[in-house]
Amino acid sequence: MASNGSDVRPAAARTPLRATADNALKIVVVGGFGVGKTTLVGSVSEIRPLNTEEVMTRAGEGIDPAGSWGKRSTTVAFDFGRITLSERQVLYLFGAPGQERFWFLWDRLFSGALGAVVLVDTRRLEDSWYAIDRLEHHGTPFIVARNNFGDPTHTLEQVREALDLPDSVPLVDCDARDRESGKRVLIDLIHHLTDLAEAELAAAAPSMYEESTA
Amino acid sequence: MNAGPVLPGRDDDPDRLYTITKGRSRAPENAFDLVTLIVAERQPTPGMQSEHVRILRMCEAPTAVVEVAAELALPVSVVKILLGDLLESGAVTARHPRFAPNKARLPDLDTLKQVLHGLQRL
Ligand SMILES: Nc1nc2c(ncn2[C@@H]2O[C@H](COP(=O)(O)OP(=O)(O)OP(=O)(O)O)[C@@H](O)[C@H]2O)c(=O)[nH]1
Ligand SMILES: [Mg+2]
């Protein structure tokens, strides 16, 4: 893990953003324990993945009405990396645990995110069912990436079937340790988002026409 | 509810968090996204709370809220409270993400094109 105690590292150890950076975007990588989230974030990130945590209560109404930290609250750790896209844009990648009990963290991470990557390990597909379900309900667009730990026994078609994944959701293979492969997954997600956004525009166009001529 | 993985050496002792935040447990509603970029507008002043000093030093270059939290090893919610103080006094400014869709809304095509180009250049 990236945690290194409570002391601030010397400023020189950090890579600051450009002074012109003014627009940050988010992509969330969600998946079960040990599926390779941190590895994927790290392989494409320009900084070593950092780890931080969020404290939350059940209802998400502040941390604790009584003002005392820790009593009724839950702490959950997540990690992140970043990619400078241009003078002004920077993309943050968040790796978040996929188990049901972390749903309250995802709602925060997902809101405002461009989209999500569900990372799956074919040996433990059931770990990703809940995350897929949650993303569908939240309306966050996503793709699924099978992190290939050298499993030759399952084809992507079989994985799709086992996940009960509709054809409209892309399913790709990746090696989370490989930078090019990780980059490919992100590009696949952006292509998928572009397809969805174009389809939405096309669908919206006729109804706008109807309204204006009604 | 179960706790998530808690990391060693982290500053999440309830008493200490209470002290740092002066007993406040709530950040200004929706004042900061996880990736809002914070920029220091002033030098630290004598007598300033040490966490505020660290934030101002760190934010001489734009720094995302999560990076501040990771660097200080404090929970994001605590950092948001501290940032709220600095924002209120004008010691920092905030560059909010310009893409912030409502639920179930897709990013616009321009943004997507820019992200794609950025990724392809990597
Ligand atoms: N063989 C192989 N090993 C991998 C691959 N991706 C990750 N690993 C290894 O699998 C282990 C778990 O990877 P992590 O990136 O820590 O997984 P994680 O999802 O962040 O794990 P948690 O945060 O503990 O849930 C590490 O030892 C990685 O080196 C892969 O594509 N192939
Ligand atoms: Mg991890």
Side-chain angles (χ1 to χ4, degrees):
Chain A
M1 293 249 175
S3 165
N4 59 355
S6 56
D7 274 343
V8 178
R9 279 174 291 142
R14 286 185 291 117
T15 314
L17 289 175
R18 296 176 193 186
T20 48
D22 69 352
N23 192 20
L25 302 157
K26 297 186 276 193
I27 288 176
V28 182
V29 177
V30 62
F33 280 129
V35 71
K37 302 178 294 292
T38 307
T39 306
L40 177 64
V41 168
S43 71
V44 291
S45 174
E46 68 197 21
I47 56 171
R48 185 174 59 87
L50 292 171
N51 196 281
T52 188
E53 62 186 25
E54 185 60 292
V55 182
M56 255 170 278
T57 50
R58 235 165 239 281
E61 36 27 268
I63 287 91
D64 190 316
S68 80
W69 290 91
K71 298 287 183 337
R72 278 178 39 209
S73 56
T74 297
T75 299
V76 55
F78 59 96
D79 41 35
F80 64 93
R82 69 165 200 240
I83 299 169
T84 295
L85 294 171
S86 65
E87 287 297 316
R88 302 177 69 170
Q89 279 182 323
V90 55
L91 176 64
Y92 280 85
L93 299 170
F94 290 93
Q99 287 72 15
E100 183 165 358
R101 63 180 189 272
F102 300 121
W103 64 268
F104 61 97
L105 171 71
W106 306 349
D107 283 351
R108 288 221 174 165
L109 292 178
F110 294 165
S111 76
L114 294 172
V117 174
V118 179
L119 201 56
V120 303
D121 175 348
T122 34
R123 296 166 299 184
R124 280 164 298 161
L125 279 182
E126 63 280 4
D127 282 6
S128 41
W129 289 341
Y130 185 80
I132 289 173
D133 204 49
R134 191 85 194 173
L135 282 162
E136 281 172 344
H137 278 99
H138 194 269
T140 302
F142 64 97
I143 67 170
V144 179
R146 186 254 298 261
N147 191 17
N148 201 332
F149 284 84
D151 163 28
T153 55
H154 298 90
T155 65
L156 283 183
E157 260 330 295
Q158 289 171 317
V159 174
R160 179 180 291 282
E161 217 166 282
L163 288 174
D164 197 16
L165 203 63
D167 286 340
S168 54
V169 178
L171 170 65
V172 299
D173 236 327
C174 79
D175 180 337
R177 298 163 300 179
D178 182 72
R179 181 174 161 86
E180 282 308 309
S181 181
K183 217 177 99 176
R184 189 72 241 165
V185 170
L186 298 181
I187 289 174
D188 288 338
L189 173 65
I190 301 301
H191 281 312
H192 178 53
L193 296 174
T194 305
D195 290 346
L196 292 174
E198 278 171 351
E200 191 177 69
L201 273 182
S207 67
M208 275 158 62
Y209 177 76
E210 277 160 33
E211 272 165 39
S212 63
T213 55
Chain B
M1 188 182 278
N2 293 310
V6 175
L7 303 170
R10 221 162 248 294
D11 242 340
D12 42 19
D13 168 45
D15 292 339
R16 177 154 159 68
L17 296 183
Y18 187 87
T19 308
I20 291 173
T21 58
K22 302 192 168 70
R24 294 162 300 167
S25 61
R26 207 183 274 251
E29 205 52 42
N30 297 327
F32 303 100
D33 190 89
L34 283 173
V35 297
T36 296
L37 301 176
I38 306 298
V39 184
E41 300 294 343
R42 284 188 211 146
Q43 297 291 320
T45 50
M48 215 176 225
Q49 188 177 344
S50 68
E51 287 81 13
H52 284 158
V53 173
R54 288 153 82 182
I55 291 171
L56 289 182
R57 297 247 158 83
M58 199 182 309
C59 296
E60 279 168 18
T63 308
V65 170
V66 274
E67 288 196 60
V68 175
E71 197 63 24
L72 297 185
L74 287 170
V76 172
S77 5
V78 172
V79 166
K80 285 183 179 174
I81 292 171
L82 296 170
L83 289 171
D85 297 336
L86 293 168
L87 188 69
E88 199 176 47
S89 72
V92 301
T93 49
R95 300 175 181 176
H96 297 291
R98 279 196 298 279
F99 170 70
N102 298 320
K103 282 185 180 185
R105 264 208 36 216
L106 289 162
D108 64 277
L109 288 168
D110 273 349
T111 301
L112 290 171
K113 198 179 283 180
Q114 288 165 15
V115 175
L116 191 59
H117 286 161
L119 288 173
Q120 284 165 338
R121 267 199 308 271
L122 282 184

